[in-house]
Amino acid sequence: MQTSFKDKVALVTGGGGGIGRATVLAFARAGARVVVADIAADAGQETVALVQAAGGEASFIRTDVTQADQVQAMVAHTVAAYGRLDCAFNNAGIEEEHLRLADCSEATFDRIMGINVKGVWLCLKYQLAQMQQQGGGAIVNTASVAGLVGAPKMAAYSASKHAVLGLTKSAAIEYARKGIRVNAVCPGVIRTAMYERAVAADPQIGVAAAQMHPLGRLGEVDEVAAVVLWLSSDAASFVTGHAHTVDGGLTAV
């Protein structure tokens, strides 16, 4: 079974930081050529520089995943640069909501849905077309434990991640006979820059987050990246339509 991604081409959205950057670096270490997509150009270019400094091959394309022409251009850039698209990790997403449902603004709801749901749908639309044309591939979407259970004061975010799982499962069924596998990863609370900012504002968030998980700690970005690579590899050749939790036992409670 494949453990190396030598001669493979991977595309990662939201690759400028956090789980996305960790996954880009993991793909590159495993031998893949990687396209980094992010709306933040400086962060995305920094990820590419890290890959290149380690002897890997990567390129950057600025992409707003809510815009169809930019997503189409992202996939076209990948094929133009490296000839094909073997693995895609649709990771770009936001979480900007900390209010009860009735207090969430319509603008916040629309923004969350636009990036987290429409963005994944657009990525799938153009990635699936390319993979079908070349005869196969593997896609992983970032969902969340909030896509498996309810999330107080995060109703729109939770709804968006439930939608990601619906897209994942539907696409997996539709394209299974085309040699394309589509799965999702559902992280618990992961130590990212976003998390660190929240803790800086309220240290109790860190204590509560660690206690939520039966393992008694937060997850690390490299732990999520490892699951993404496994789902993208031939080692997971009989796995499709699956929501893989990386949550320290949180959803087992």
Side-chain angles (χ1 to χ4, degrees):
M1 288 296 182
Q2 176 184 311
T3 55
S4 168
F5 287 84
K6 187 178 184 299
D7 299 325
K8 299 291 184 179
V9 178
L11 165 64
V12 178
T13 70
I19 293 169
R21 175 175 287 179
T23 305
V24 169
L25 296 174
F27 268 126
R29 285 193 298 269
R33 293 169 290 171
V34 191
V35 171
V36 179
D38 204 296
I39 198 167
D42 289 347
Q45 293 283 16
E46 186 176 290
T47 299
V48 168
L50 290 170
V51 171
Q52 293 172 341
E57 188 173 354
S59 66
F60 173 73
I61 181 167
R62 184 184 183 279
T63 308
D64 179 346
V65 296
T66 70
Q67 302 301 309
D69 59 340
Q70 293 189 37
V71 176
Q72 187 173 21
M74 174 186 74
V75 174
H77 166 87
T78 303
V79 176
Y82 301 123
R84 58 186 295 108
L85 173 60
D86 298 295
C87 310
F89 179 36
N90 297 321
N91 172 68
I94 59 167
E95 181 275 296
E96 295 183 339
E97 171 196 17
H98 303 283
L99 297 168
R100 293 181 185 275
L101 190 151
D103 298 318
C104 178
S105 71
E106 184 176 358
T108 297
F109 180 89
D110 288 346
R111 177 168 160 76
I112 290 171
M113 290 296 171
I115 296 172
N116 292 4
V117 183
K118 182 182 178 183
V120 171
W121 177 77
L122 284 172
C123 287
L124 286 167
K125 177 179 174 66
Y126 292 106
Q127 293 160 359
L128 287 164
Q130 171 60 31
M131 289 179 176
Q132 183 172 223
Q133 179 180 326
Q134 69 190 31
I139 299 173
V140 180
N141 300 319
T142 296
S144 168
V145 292
L148 299 168
V149 296
K153 296 187 177 180
M154 298 174 65
Y157 177 80
S158 179
S160 75
K161 294 304 185 178
H162 276 76
V164 168
L165 294 182
L167 289 170
T168 299
K169 293 175 182 180
S170 298
I173 296 166
E174 290 178 358
Y175 290 88
R177 299 295 177 93
K178 302 295 184 181
I180 304 170
R181 296 184 300 102
V182 187
N183 292 290
V185 63
C186 299
V189 182
I190 307 299
R191 195 185 309 278
T192 63
M194 181 185 295
Y195 166 80
E196 297 294 351
R197 288 193 297 270
V199 171
D202 181 0
Q204 286 303 310
I205 290 176
V207 176
Q211 291 176 345
M212 286 167 53
H213 302 81
L215 286 182
R217 65 173 178 86
L218 305 180
E220 303 294 339
V221 291
D222 289 340
E223 293 176 307
V224 182
V227 173
V228 175
L229 260 67
W230 180 77
L231 288 171
S232 302
S233 77
D234 290 344
S237 57
F238 201 55
V239 180
T240 195
H242 178 55
H244 197 306
T245 58
V246 189
D247 67 354
L250 178 60
T251 53
V253 176

